[in-house]
């Protein structure tokens, strides 16, 4: 009855997650539509157009580029864009004025100075962008800095009112940012922190059912085994390859303001550490695939003899994992150490009893144990 | 002598890779600088400026946004941008003309039609962007489509010569794209395919030395073990987490034209499959970490007794991996099946001999064997 229950629950969860994902995507699309219409009002309404003029273009551009799925991503991109524009604009103005003073307006000297500064800043900013820590969080900002700098310094050659131009563009970009933030944060906000929290907690559940599925498959009669798709490994692989997704979620979550149950300094680093440990556990479980697929199997009588203790170990591991996952999901303290630790220790002893007949299956127990107790210590 | 040699070679390779990475980054920065100066000539030279006018801005923007580290990435972004602009521009023109005909110029009806179309296209394109297969390859193109569509349809309300405007912008974007491609492909091109090829081949080497390091650590005297950083696991983890990097490299490599030893239809899918198998092997090796760190170790006499066969197995595995890696690196056929397969089979028998005293260490052999023979079959 093990597998059936876990399979049904997995399936149900998938469907629920699926449909809620779809509605979220739909909501996001509609939000983008609304934000675009709002920002188009700068063109559509006469009084607004008189103020903004052609520069309203920049507001539209900002909305299209900045509006992302998660609120944190929108905030981070918007702030990056804002700061990049301000820095690039002011440096560009300074360079343009410097070139005009030194080179004279419209002279060759002016053009040479501008060209040189374009080259130097372009190369420097690009090199800066490739530093890993900058790339992770400020890549977009540096790109916008470079873009604005170039536009301003180059058009300083032709237009006279560079300052004016830069100021106007900045204000329309600000408007676009405002519209984006307004729609992103106030209409059904999509929090990266919620997603991160949920996905971390559900990893525990995935691994727990993977352990169960794995044990069950091992103790199945050989003839049944062939046409069995290894569903449990798929969820394991998802956990294993979640690193880059986790990193970006943690990055966005850091930008998000206080909301719901998360404070300003929620320990997202801890989440990443937990993810790392879980990925190691997932690697262990996947390596069991080799045992399951290996042509040399222990005889079925031998397997039957170790079936019971192994299943006990497996279910206790799965229980521990689910317990930890639930405690993270609901953000309550773990059951007191006194309750979980003895259970793990007794499991360890049980493994000691069966370890002699066959290690193929129990090695999983030992390692899972070591790792899950590590997780436990992390949380405590 | 095992570890020392492998450590030195690893170190040397790191340094070489490092310094060559740095020069590559430097070259890339300089290339960006050159491209920017070239495109700024549209402003700096009077005859060019008279032709392009204010629209030269779009050329600069294109260069900043499109120029990426790898040639394939630049091409893919540029083509995405071009097609997105053309589609968005033409649809936007049609919508603007339609709105003018039906609603009348400057009327409320016109504005309503424009607003509705902005909303519908915005929501639809955003929803389209979130389809995973589109997101992977055409995300940027759809974004540019949306951006251009909005700009064109909205400015159609005010300006009369929408077509003219769109045509001019398109031609300057084309210029920017031309400059980017020119600098990216002709001056020290950085091919994603080279990088992908090299990284796939070096994964074999990494795993081989990880297996060796692992075995060696296992057979070390306990007292030495404490202050040993597990360097071999780090390279393993790099392999394990290479999935997203591999995907993007494969994506870029597909865009790159024929060059060097790679034809047009180089089997990049095969590379991804090999990467997947190697990640599984890496998972297996990492799961051995649990054995190494476990407090309950077999007695050292027992370990000494199985030392020799295990090392033989390890070195034969490492040899096989290196052989496969080399054959991929140099793109020659593997050594004939007849040469590798018997070696693997005799290894398998050796494992059979030691499997009774302790499975802790040899389980690695068995699985690595299964998987590396799988790799072998893949390549054949």
């Amino acid at each position: 009855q093990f597998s059936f229950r876990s399979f049904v629950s997995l399936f149900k969860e998938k469907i629920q997650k699926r449909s809620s994902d779809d509605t979220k995507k739909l909501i996001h699309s509609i939000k983008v539509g609304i934000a675009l219409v709002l920002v188009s009002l700068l063109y559509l309404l006469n009084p607004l157009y008189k103020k903004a003029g052609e520069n309203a273009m920049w507001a539209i551009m900002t909305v299209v580029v900045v509006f992302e799925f998660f609120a944190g991503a929108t905030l981070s991109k918007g702030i990056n864009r804002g700061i990049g524009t301000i820095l690039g604009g002011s440096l560009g103005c300074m360079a343009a004025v410097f070139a005009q003073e030194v080179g004279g307006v419209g002279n060759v000297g002016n053009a040479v100075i501008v060209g040189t500064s374009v080259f130097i800043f372009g190369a420097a900013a690009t090199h800066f962008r490739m530093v890993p820590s900058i790339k992770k969080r400020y890549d977009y900002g540096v790109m916008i800095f470079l873009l604005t700098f170039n536009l301003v310094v180059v058009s300083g050659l032709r237009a006279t009112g560079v300052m004016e131009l830069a100021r106007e563009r900045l204000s329309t970009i600000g408007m676009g940012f405002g519209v984006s933030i307004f729609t992103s944060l106030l209409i059904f906000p999509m929090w990266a922190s919620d997603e991160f929290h949920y996905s971390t907690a559900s990893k525990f559940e995935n691994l727990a059912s993977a352990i169960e599925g794995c044990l069950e498959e091992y103790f199945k009669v050989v003839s049944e085994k062939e046409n069995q798709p290894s569903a449990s490994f798929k969820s394991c692989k998802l956990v294993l390859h979640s690193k880059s997704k986790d990193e970006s979620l943690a990055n966005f979550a850091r930008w998000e303001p206080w909301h719901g149950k998360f404070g300003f300094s929620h320990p997202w680093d801890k989440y990443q550490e937990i993810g790392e440990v879980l990925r190691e556990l997932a690697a262990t479980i996947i390596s069991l695939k080799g045992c399951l697929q290996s042509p040399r199997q222990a005889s079925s009588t031998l397997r039957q003899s170790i079936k019971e203790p192994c299943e006990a170990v497996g279910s206790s591991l799965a229980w521990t994992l689910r317990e930890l996952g639930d405690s993270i999901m609901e953000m309550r303290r773990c059951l007191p150490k006194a309750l979980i630790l003895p259970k793990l220790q007794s499991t360890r002893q049980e493994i000691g009893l069966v370890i002699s007949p066959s290690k193929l299956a129990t090695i999983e127990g030992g390692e899972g144990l070591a790792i899950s107790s590590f997780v436990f210590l992390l949380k405590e």
Side-chain angles (χ1 to χ4, degrees), chain A:
Chain A
Q1 86 284 25
F2 245 18
S3 83
F4 185 69
R5 215 179 49 201
S6 74
F7 184 75
V8 165
S9 76
L10 197 81
F11 195 69
K12 238 187 192 163
E13 200 175 78
K14 275 259 170 70
I15 286 206
Q16 274 177 359
K17 195 164 184 305
R18 178 110 203 220
S19 70
S20 86
D21 267 9
D22 277 352
T23 25
K24 271 186 193 164
K25 281 182 183 170
L26 200 67
I27 291 176
H28 173 64
S29 306
I30 293 173
K31 276 163 67 180
V32 173
I34 293 173
L36 283 175
V37 171
L38 281 181
V39 85
S40 298
L41 289 181
L42 281 178
Y43 269 92
L44 298 179
L45 299 181
N46 273 320
L48 285 179
Y49 184 73
K50 265 172 206 143
K51 261 197 183 160
E54 268 301 306
N55 283 320
M57 188 179 84
W58 291 92
I60 294 182
M61 221 181 273
T62 308
V63 170
V64 172
V65 173
V66 157
F67 211 105
E68 293 271 340
F69 190 76
F70 290 116
T74 310
L75 257 174
S76 122
K77 262 197 149 179
I79 290 173
N80 262 313
R81 188 181 177 101
I83 293 175
T85 311
I86 292 172
L87 280 183
S90 48
L91 263 177
C93 277
M94 271 153 59
V97 168
F98 174 76
Q100 278 177 7
E101 301 241 320
V102 175
V105 181
N107 278 354
V108 181
N110 190 347
V112 168
I113 291 177
V114 167
T116 322
S117 72
V118 164
F119 178 79
I120 291 173
F121 273 86
T126 310
H127 207 262
F128 197 57
R129 266 178 88 181
M130 287 184 294
V131 178
S133 59
I134 301 287
K135 192 174 177 59
K136 219 185 254 168
R137 301 191 65 176
Y138 306 109
D139 184 50
Y140 185 68
V142 179
M143 189 176 92
I144 292 295
F145 163 79
L146 183 57
L147 178 60
T148 317
F149 175 81
N150 272 325
L151 287 183
V152 169
V153 77
V154 156
S155 52
L157 274 181
R158 303 286 167 179
T160 40
V162 197
M163 298 293 277
E164 195 61 15
L165 196 73
R167 210 183 49 73
E168 268 170 20
R169 280 194 189 159
L170 191 61
S171 71
T172 46
I173 288 177
M175 271 179 239
F177 179 55
V179 168
S180 303
I181 292 299
F182 172 77
T183 5
S184 176
L185 293 192
L186 297 188
I187 309 179
F188 293 108
M190 236 77 88
W191 302 110
S193 20
D194 280 344
E195 174 75 23
F196 195 27
H197 184 75
Y198 173 78
S199 77
T200 304
S202 68
K203 270 180 207 162
F204 283 95
E205 168 65 30
N206 278 346
L207 290 184
S209 50
I211 289 180
E212 287 175 353
C214 198
L215 274 178
E216 204 196 353
E217 207 164 317
Y218 184 71
F219 291 116
K220 214 173 262 168
V221 188
V222 179
S223 62
E224 292 177 26
K225 225 179 235 174
E226 308 310 318
N227 44 12
Q228 192 69 15
S230 52
S232 54
F233 287 120
K234 264 182 205 157
S235 62
C236 246
K237 278 209 173 156
L238 281 184
V239 173
L240 196 62
H241 295 143
S242 58
K243 189 181 169 71
S244 56
K245 196 184 149 208
D246 276 9
E247 269 175 10
S248 66
L249 279 180
N251 192 2
F252 299 149
R254 277 203 199 91
W255 284 96
E256 286 176 358
W258 185 90
H259 70 98
K261 49 198 172 189
F262 305 107
F264 256 116
S265 51
H266 201 71
W268 299 117
D269 293 333
K270 278 265 157 52
Y271 279 66
Q272 277 179 297
E273 280 167 31
I274 292 176
E276 196 61 42
V277 175
L278 286 178
R279 274 190 287 278
E280 262 171 38
L281 181 53
T284 310
I285 296 175
I286 281 184
S287 73
L288 287 175
K289 194 179 170 184
C291 302
L292 289 178
Q293 290 177 340
S294 148
R296 273 180 314 130
Q297 293 280 356
S299 67
S300 72
T301 47
L302 183 62
R303 268 188 280 151
Q304 286 308 317
S305 71
I306 58 165
K307 182 171 177 175
E308 207 171 301
C310 279
E311 281 190 348
V313 167
S315 70
S316 118
L317 273 178
W319 176 82
T320 315
L321 281 173
R322 292 218 170 93
E323 188 58 39
L324 289 170
D326 283 354
S327 75
I328 286 185
M329 181 71 103
E330 292 159 25
M331 297 183 79
R332 54 174 167 73
R333 275 227 164 272
C334 266
L335 290 183
K337 218 174 181 170
L339 244 146
I340 292 185
L341 221 53
K343 204 165 151 80
L344 281 181
Q345 265 156 359
S346 72
T347 319
R348 190 189 280 259
Q349 279 173 352
E350 276 176 52
I351 294 177
L353 292 178
V354 268
I355 210 161
S356 45
S358 157
K359 270 178 186 151
L360 264 176
T362 46
I363 194 156
E364 154 200 41
E367 295 184 14
L369 197 87
I371 292 172
S372 67
S373 61
F374 180 31
V375 175
F376 174 73
L377 289 175
L378 249 179
K379 207 43 204 176
E380 188 59 27

